[in-house]
Amino acid sequence: MANGQLKSVAGLLLVLNFCMYAIVLGIGSWAMNMAIEHGFVIGPGFDLPAHFSPIYFPMGNAATGFFVTFAMIAGVVGIASILAGFNHYRYWNINSMPGALSAATIAWTLTLLAMGFAWKEIELQIRNSRLVLCPTNIDFVST
């Protein structure tokens, strides 16, 4: 009885983790695409800017590049851990559990690392000029 209940909970968690990592990969891929398209142009005759960083993002602050990079790595490893978890879900025996557990632990630690960079991005509070906050003292005129 309990074995069947745990298997259904594991299946639900696999689906939720897949959705979470797919969303992380989607948003991270969009941000990486924006960074590549709107990054520095380096070619013959162009000098590197004074504060050049290979992980430059035109949005956010100095921690954005690290955050997006590690979030995408965590997303890819998370999808791989979901595949290992699905294999364990399919066989549901003690022999398939160590592989799924180790893959899930690695994905979890990489997700924690990306979360640490997200906290650093929030802590810096230095924003790019494109991320100007709207003033809070706007007087709305009713028509």
Side-chain angles (χ1 to χ4, degrees):
M1 177 79 175
N3 194 16
Q5 290 175 346
L6 288 178
K7 193 171 181 178
S8 64
V9 169
L12 176 67
L13 289 176
L14 278 173
V15 170
L16 288 176
N17 276 338
F18 177 77
C19 292
M20 180 190 74
Y21 284 122
I23 290 170
V24 164
L25 279 175
I27 294 173
S29 299
W30 170 82
M32 187 67 73
N33 185 38
M34 292 292 292
I36 291 170
E37 286 183 0
H38 300 291
F40 294 118
V41 178
I42 301 173
F46 290 109
D47 293 331
L48 288 176
H51 300 289
F52 175 73
S53 171
I55 307 178
Y56 169 75
F57 277 72
M59 66 279 224
N61 55 28
T64 303
F66 296 103
F67 167 61
V68 172
T69 302
F70 280 100
M72 287 184 62
I73 291 170
V76 170
V77 174
I79 295 292
S81 75
I82 289 167
L83 295 176
F86 180 72
N87 186 37
H88 174 61
Y89 180 80
R90 200 169 46 149
Y91 292 114
W92 201 256
N93 61 16
I94 197 69
N95 295 330
S96 63
M97 188 162 47
L101 186 62
S102 63
T105 304
I106 292 169
W108 182 69
T109 54
L110 285 171
T111 304
L112 286 179
L113 181 64
M115 187 174 64
F117 283 119
W119 287 347
K120 185 64 176 177
E121 183 172 2
I122 293 168
E123 179 195 353
L124 283 178
Q125 294 180 356
I126 301 169
R127 300 277 188 241
N128 193 323
S129 62
R130 296 177 189 214
L131 292 176
V132 177
L133 296 175
C134 296
T136 57
N137 56 358
I138 297 176
D139 295 328
F140 292 102
V141 179
S142 60
T143 57

